[in-house]
Amino acid sequence: MSNLFLLFCFIAIAQQTGWNKLNSELAKLSDDSLKVMAHYKVSTELYKSSPQEAKEIAEKGYQLAVENKMDELQLSFLNVIGVIESKLYHFDESIKMHFKVLRAREQKGDKQGAMLSLLNIGNVFNMSRDAKQALVYYEQAMVLAREIGDLRNEANIAVNIGNIRAQGALNGTNRSDVVNAIAYLLKTVDFCKRKAPEVDLYNCYILLGYLYLKNEDVKKSTYYTDLAIDIAEAGNFTYGICYARINRANIFVQQGQFDAAKKEVEIIKRNIEKSGLRDLFDEFSDDFTKIDKAIRENDRNIVLTDVDSAAVVAGEEKDLLRLKVREELREKYETEKKELENKNLLLENAAIERESLLFKILLGGAAAMLFMVILMLVLLQRKNGQLHDEKSKVEQARDEVKEQAEKIRLQHQELVQADRFRSRIFSVVSHDLRAPIANFQVLLSVSRLVDLPADDIKKTLIAIGHEVETASKMLDELLVWSSQQMTNESLSFRKLVVYDVVDQCKQLFTDRLRIKELSLLNEVNPAVVIEGDLKRFEFIIRNIISNAIKFSYLGKTITVYHQEFDDEVVIAIADEGAGMSVEKLQKLQNRDMQESFLGTFQEKGAGIGLMLCHEFANRMGWHIRMESKIGLGSVFYICIPK
């Protein structure tokens, strides 16, 4: 009596503690929705240690959720109540609750929630030893878990299915069931390790230990049993330690190691005493008895996993009764589900008819409004057309005035630039033409006064000849430019073989190359063909090669080669001459007219050749760029788009 009194006192204190915890939470809150959440929080925290108290708190929270129209939380409370009912061994009530949640979640199209409800129903059937029904709902939950890609729950469901298959194989006599259960569990372990490593595999390991022992594979049974013991002891899991060590004792009996089996039993009993879970003595009493009998009789052939036949008969009768009740519940659920679907279909049809009628009314009104709008738009369009025509005429006149003004501005700009250019050209021409004429006049005046030696006259004439040659070249370039300017000569594009043009230009400079002992290498591939104006391309090549000869040192090499890219062909002319400073290179790239610089043999130039090369290249859509280093030479690149 005293122990019973103490038990009632303990329950009363625990209940008071649970409600006190809830009341302390509620005292801090003023919002009704938060108070409902507090009921849910406390009930989920208590359901393992005090399921009856957790159920009362959850039912109170459910009523508050209904009053506050918190639909989703209502389902959460019903789900918790269903779980608590299974903890209280009220399996039928638990299944009813989970079916109610399942219907609501299916109606909402919540596949995740429906999967969890099916999993809970399977768990309840499994706890109540109705393995057949548990498998039915586990399989349905598995389909949804795979459909939504929930790997964690897919792994958990697979472990549960493996547990049921293993229990059936252990309780039966068919060796193929054992083999199939082992294969399924191994596949589950592999899936969990690859896809859901956070899932606890203890149950799989201990079941594999039992199954391999029944399959008489002691080595593998020992391996998985040791794994299970390590996991259980690391987590201080008394149930796990006991179940795993019982199988180790079974293994020792099978191996004839009776002393080791006896020690395992003693370890199990110490663990039970230490944990205070004395109910486990009753749960393992049959195993202790069989192991004790095997030790006394030195009998290794005792089947430790056999189940007492009377217990099997009684269990089967209870299972049949449960199965009948649950079949009725499942049929009722399916019927209610079908009725609900039919009602929803009728409601949807009625809604569609109402929407159709409303649509017709709106369509008629819209048609009338549309007719009026179209009529107004036609009238507005006419008026707008007239205004648009007037506006177009005004804008056209304005655009013509702007276009004429822009043309006048560009023409003025071109005239100013042309005037400046002509002024500079006349300055260069007057200077470069005056020099040889003046020298020639001096020679004539001196020769009238004194008799000059023939060598002096020859040297002077040679110098005058060089100046005349320079002036002649300048005049040739000016004639080409002036012809273009005066006649506005159009471009004549054609296919040009670059190698041939370079080779022809090379022939023109044979004497100059010989005098400076230079080599001109034509390394352009004969297959390279471009499109351009022949006269202007020849002018550009000829002028750049002439400059290369002018500034090359004695005995050096001038190389003409090509580079081909995705969008352009580049003709490069490289010399090993005097090179240019950065400032001079920048001025040449900017196409400024330059004063003439003396070549390596004191050759003179007009300073306008490269400027004309730039102008001709631009007219053909090309451009010229340069690289140079003082003392190392220069490279001129003619860039021709494909």
Side-chain angles (χ1 to χ4, degrees):
M1 285 292 293
S2 61
N3 289 338
L4 188 59
F5 176 73
L6 289 173
L7 179 61
F8 281 128
C9 288
F10 174 77
I11 293 172
I13 291 169
Q15 185 173 12
Q16 184 180 7
T17 303
W19 282 104
N20 284 343
K21 183 176 181 180
L22 175 62
N23 290 331
S24 64
E25 291 277 346
L26 295 176
K28 304 173 188 176
L29 306 171
S30 58
D31 186 81
D32 289 340
S33 60
L34 294 177
K35 289 181 179 180
V36 177
M37 289 296 298
H39 282 76
Y40 181 77
K41 177 174 177 288
V42 173
S43 63
T44 53
E45 290 173 353
L46 288 177
Y47 84 94
K48 289 184 179 179
S49 58
S50 303
Q52 184 59 44
E53 183 181 11
K55 178 183 174 183
E56 294 170 3
I57 294 173
E59 287 175 342
K60 177 65 175 175
Y62 174 73
Q63 294 301 325
L64 291 173
V66 172
E67 292 172 7
N68 287 277
K69 297 181 179 179
M70 302 171 71
D71 296 339
E72 192 59 36
L73 206 54
Q74 290 176 36
L75 293 180
S76 298
F77 274 116
L78 290 175
N79 189 61
V80 170
I81 293 169
V83 173
I84 295 171
E85 292 285 16
S86 66
K87 285 286 181 184
L88 295 170
Y89 300 101
H90 302 158
F91 298 125
D92 294 335
E93 292 299 321
S94 176
I95 289 173
K96 286 180 182 178
M97 202 62 66
H98 285 306
F99 270 137
K100 190 173 182 180
V101 176
L102 175 61
R103 284 195 295 271
R105 285 176 171 170
E106 285 180 336
Q107 189 175 1
K108 287 185 173 184
D110 179 7
K111 291 186 178 181
Q112 177 79 22
M115 182 270 295
L116 293 174
S117 293
L118 288 167
L119 176 57
N120 286 334
I121 293 169
N123 288 339
V124 177
F125 278 122
N126 197 15
M127 288 176 64
S128 62
R129 302 288 193 270
D130 192 343
K132 184 178 178 182
Q133 287 290 351
L135 280 175
V136 170
Y137 291 100
Y138 280 150
E139 293 291 350
Q140 292 180 26
M142 177 71 83
V143 171
L144 284 179
R146 287 173 178 166
E147 187 176 334
I148 62 179
D150 189 339
L151 296 177
R152 172 66 181 271
N153 277 308
E154 184 180 346
N156 282 329
I157 295 166
V159 171
N160 291 346
I161 293 173
N163 196 337
I164 291 174
R165 291 188 175 187
Q167 292 295 342
L170 289 171
N171 293 332
T173 58
N174 192 336
R175 179 64 64 89
S176 64
D177 290 342
V178 175
V179 174
N180 292 336
I182 289 173
Y184 187 86
L185 284 173
L186 289 175
K187 188 186 296 184
T188 300
V189 168
D190 178 65
F191 176 82
C192 292
K193 286 181 177 179
R194 287 186 295 105
K195 298 293 183 67
E198 70 276 12
V199 172
D200 185 6
L201 293 174
Y202 162 77
N203 281 335
C204 290
Y205 293 145
I206 187 57
L207 288 170
L208 284 167
Y210 277 87
L211 288 166
Y212 274 119
L213 182 61
K214 186 156 186 174
N215 204 36
E216 299 179 359
D217 190 339
V218 176
K219 184 177 179 181
K220 289 185 178 178
S221 178
T222 302
Y223 171 75
Y224 284 106
T225 300
D226 290 345
L227 272 179
I229 291 172
D230 291 343
I231 294 172
E233 289 182 344
N236 196 25
F237 178 30
T238 303
Y239 284 93
I241 294 170
C242 294
Y243 276 109
R245 285 192 175 275
I246 279 290
N247 198 53
R248 180 180 278 177
N250 293 344
I251 293 170
F252 286 143
V253 169
Q254 292 281 328
Q255 294 176 326
Q257 300 179 34
F258 298 111
D259 290 340
K262 186 176 181 180
K263 288 181 182 178
E264 284 297 320
V265 172
E266 291 171 357
I267 292 171
I268 294 169
K269 290 179 178 179
R270 284 200 300 272
N271 272 286
I272 294 173
E273 289 285 354
K274 183 179 177 181
S275 67
L277 302 171
R278 300 188 62 81
D279 290 344
L280 288 176
F281 281 116
D282 296 333
E283 187 164 344
F284 291 103
S285 61
D286 290 342
D287 294 286
F288 294 156
T289 300
K290 289 180 181 180
I291 293 171
D292 184 57
K293 181 180 178 182
I295 293 170
R296 286 197 317 272
E297 298 178 3
N298 280 347
D299 185 359
R300 295 192 302 175
N301 297 319
I302 291 177
V303 182
L304 300 178
T305 54
D306 280 351
V307 181
D308 184 80
S309 59
V312 170
V313 172
E316 287 178 352
E317 290 177 354
K318 290 181 181 178
D319 289 345
L320 286 173
L321 181 60
R322 288 195 193 95
L323 184 61
K324 181 179 179 182
V325 172
R326 284 165 191 162
E327 277 296 322
E328 291 174 355
L329 285 172
R330 189 177 64 80
E331 289 176 2
K332 183 180 179 183
Y333 160 70
E334 294 293 341
T335 302
E336 290 179 354
K337 180 181 176 183
K338 184 62 69 176
E339 290 176 354
L340 184 61
E341 289 175 352
N342 290 334
K343 289 180 181 178
N344 287 337
L345 186 60
L346 291 173
L347 289 173
E348 288 176 3
N349 290 336
I352 291 171
E353 289 179 1
R354 287 197 300 272
E355 289 176 359
S356 176
L357 179 60
L358 180 61
F359 177 74
K360 289 177 181 177
I361 294 171
L362 291 174
L363 186 62
M369 291 292 294
L370 182 62
F371 177 76
M372 294 177 63
V373 169
I374 291 173
L375 184 60
M376 292 178 64
L377 285 174
V378 169
L379 296 175
L380 288 172
Q381 186 68 23
R382 286 183 181 177
K383 188 66 176 177
N384 188 52
Q386 295 173 356
L387 293 174
H388 184 268
D389 291 341
E390 294 296 328
K391 182 180 178 182
S392 296
K393 291 177 181 178
V394 172
E395 288 180 350
Q396 185 176 358
R398 184 183 62 191
D399 291 341
E400 289 175 357
V401 171
K402 287 176 65 177
E403 185 178 348
Q404 291 297 328
E406 182 64 19
K407 286 181 179 179
I408 292 170
R409 187 186 68 79
L410 292 174
Q411 289 173 356
H412 174 72
Q413 187 176 352
E414 290 174 358
L415 287 172
V416 170
Q417 291 177 350
D419 185 61
R420 290 177 183 172
F421 185 68
R422 289 189 185 92
S423 297
R424 296 195 63 181
I425 286 177
F426 288 139
S427 175
V428 171
V429 170
S430 62
H431 177 273
D432 286 359
L433 289 179
R434 187 175 62 240
I437 294 172
N439 290 335
F440 194 69
Q441 287 177 338
V442 169
L443 177 62
L444 291 176
S445 299
V446 171
S447 63
R448 282 199 296 267
L449 297 174
V450 294
D451 292 330
L452 293 175
D455 289 342
D456 290 343
I457 294 172
K458 184 177 180 180
K459 290 178 182 178
T460 304
L461 288 174
I462 289 172
I464 293 171
H466 286 316
E467 291 179 352
V468 170
E469 182 181 356
T470 300
S472 176
K473 179 184 176 186
M474 178 192 66
L475 288 173
D476 287 342
E477 292 171 348
L478 286 174
L479 285 171
V480 172
W481 174 79
S482 62
S483 173
Q484 173 190 296
Q485 296 293 319
M486 288 167 40
T487 63
N488 195 19
E489 184 180 357
S490 60
L491 299 175
S492 176
F493 276 86
R494 53 184 280 194
K495 293 188 181 297
L496 306 175
V497 180
V498 178
Y499 180 88
D500 294 344
V501 174
V502 173
D503 201 52
Q504 291 171 9
C505 291
K506 178 180 176 180
Q507 302 303 320
L508 298 176
F509 297 112
T510 301
D511 292 337
R512 290 182 61 188
L513 291 169
R514 179 175 49 75
I515 291 170
K516 297 185 89 170
E517 299 179 9
L518 300 175
S519 298
L520 176 58
L521 301 180
N522 185 359
E523 295 184 353
V524 178
N525 190 329
V528 175
V529 177
I530 63 170
E531 287 197 7
D533 183 272
L534 177 61
K535 286 166 55 175
R536 286 160 183 77
F537 182 51
E538 285 180 341
F539 180 90
I540 294 169
I541 293 292
R542 188 168 63 248
N543 198 281
I544 295 176
I545 291 177
S546 176
N547 283 343
I549 294 171
K550 177 180 176 181
F551 293 104
S552 288
Y553 292 117
L554 185 69
K556 295 297 182 178
T557 300
I558 299 169
T559 306
V560 183
Y561 58 94
H562 82 283
Q563 297 172 328
E564 191 155 358
F565 302 98
D566 291 339
D567 56 347
E568 66 179 5
V569 175
V570 177
I571 309 300
I573 302 171
D575 64 61
E576 299 174 356
M580 293 178 279
S581 65
V582 176
E583 294 78 7
K584 182 180 176 184
L585 190 65
Q586 186 65 40
K587 287 181 179 179
L588 287 177
Q589 191 68 59
N590 291 339
R591 309 168 197 174
D592 291 340
M593 186 171 176
Q594 300 291 315
E595 60 177 314
S596 176
F597 293 93
L598 296 177
T600 53
F601 274 22
Q602 303 301 306
E603 301 101 319
K604 290 184 179 181
I608 62 173
L610 188 59
M611 184 186 66
L612 292 176
C613 288
H614 277 300
E615 184 173 342
F616 290 162
N618 288 343
R619 283 202 64 194
M620 291 188 289
W622 305 352
H623 71 278
I624 299 173
R625 59 183 175 86
M626 296 157 273
E627 294 177 358
S628 183
K629 289 186 179 179
I630 294 178
L632 298 178
S634 305
V635 184
F636 285 73
Y637 299 99
I638 307 168
C639 302
I640 306 166
K642 288 188 177 179

